[in-house]
Amino acid sequence: MNGFNHIVNLDIRQTLRSKWFWGYSILFGGFVALMFASGITESQIIGFLGLGRLMITFIQICISILPIFVLISTVRSVVGDRESNVLEYMLSMPISLGGYYWGKLAGRFITVFIPVFLALLGAVAWGTFSNITVPWDVFIFYSLLLASMIICFLGISIFISTLSRSQELAISMAFITWLILVAFLDLILLGVMLRFRVDAGVIISIAMFNPLQVFRTAAIALFDPNLTVLGPASYYILDRVSQPVFVGFSIAYPTLLGSLLAWLGFRSFKRSDLI
Amino acid sequence: MKQNSPIIKIKNLTKVFNRIHVVDDLSVNFLAGERIALIGQNGAGKTTLIRCILGHYVYDGDVSVLGMNPRLHRKNVLKRVGFIPQLPPPLRLTVKELLEFFSRLTKTKKDAFIEVADSLGLSVKEHWTKPFFKLSGGMKQKLLISLALGRDIDILIMDEPTANLDPKAREKFIELLSRFNKKTLMILSSHRISEIENLISRVVEMDYGRAALDKILIKI
């Protein structure tokens, strides 16, 4: 794919010059620093303690912020380039469409993933330095979960971006997508289930298709096999599949979903007017 | 590439936007070495035709550029095509990064672009670390011209290339074009035909998506 490396490089360089990137990096690095400063590693709640407690708090923050952040920041990428004539110029260069599209996606993945991963790695480094036991299994799983979450929402974003004809429409679509995903989290599902007496299996299936729900459940699954702190949908899920299966699913499903949507976006991009 | 051989062949090209035939059953050939002024009112279909040649649009009919379909073989086609857009894109890259990017992509030495920029009166090194979008309109256009003219190409497509240039830079630009490889096909979309009249060998006037006038001024 000629041009892929050049586009990745270009996208990273452009992002490093953006204010949002530094704000984002400082935000997540700051969360970890703040958690250490507040003594979170020394406190204990429902069995969570030490670096594990910090990591689970961090991942909860990521689950709350990252999806909407990735959606809003990435959904403008293709449609924004189209509106500002950047796409017309870039695509008049000898770059394959695949090189451009996947290069932009890979560049964005790197710039979104690296700051949150470094924040997590920083926590591990500080923990090692302070003689706090490092839960390596949690660190590896959360790193994979973050990567999976970013791929998933990047795929959704670029799919919307490719199909949209204006930035306003793309942002609205991204916001609606996020609202729908939030609306179908377990607590709201519980309300729906109670109100309309819908079959629990149907409700849980919907929850299983919701990547936000999958991340929420997976984040807690390593620490709390009984899921006492989560809603009924999560409990229902783990009652039917074993914990290792669910952990594997929570990485694989969002990654596949994001990849599928990114591929569908590419298919549409390739087959329609480019600008 | 032989002079006189058609390197862009367009047959029954139609492009429709919202049921409007912006390019309407257009058939025309462009030969190697021709200097074509593509003229016409706003909305006549000039930019749409250029975008079809560059492979940006899906269309009905046939477009062949250097014997290839620009949609299917866009990378190979664009290796041999230089393009200067009407509006400079707001690229966030610095001048240095843009030159390096273009240089790697087209396998052309940076100095070749810098030389063209110098001849247009743009000292690239003075703006080396400045982001492209922060340059003045004229500087941006000069740099884009340098990127198009600084490499070995068979086709040069320019969409209102002098719009942002001051009179002196325009003069230099026209002079550069007149000295450019004689075998290169040039397509200039312009409203200011008086500026380029000494340069062009053929005028194609677009009107309602068709070639209302196709006049050869100098036989190649």
Side-chain angles (χ1 to χ4, degrees), chain A residues 74 77-78 101 105 153-163 262 265:
Chain A
T74 310
S77 58
V78 175
Y101 184 90
L105 202 62
F153 285 95
L154 278 180
I156 296 172
S157 309
I158 204 146
F159 176 72
I160 295 172
S161 190
T162 306
L163 263 57

Side-chain angles (χ1 to χ4, degrees), chain A residues 165-223:
Chain A
R165 285 285 146 185
S166 73
Q167 290 192 63
E168 287 78 14
L169 180 68
I171 290 171
S172 307
M173 290 294 292
F175 200 63
I176 289 168
T177 305
W178 181 74
L179 282 177
I180 290 170
L181 293 180
V182 170
F184 280 96
L185 287 176
D186 58 341
L187 289 176
I188 296 163
L189 280 176
L190 177 66
V192 173
M193 196 160 58
L194 289 171
R195 177 74 182 81
F196 296 102
R197 297 176 189 278
V198 178
D199 178 61
V202 174
I203 303 289
I204 301 311
S205 301
I206 294 169
M208 287 286 275
F209 280 111
N210 182 352
L212 272 187
Q213 180 65 59
V214 172
F215 292 130
R216 278 186 71 190
T217 313
I220 212 96
L222 282 191
F223 292 97

Side-chain angles (χ1 to χ4, degrees), chain B residues 1 19 27 35 39 95 97 146 152-153 189:
Chain B
M1 188 59 59
R19 296 184 188 168
S27 294
R35 267 81 169 128
I39 60 169
V95 170
E97 286 167 348
S146 313
D152 181 30
I153 48 175
S189 164

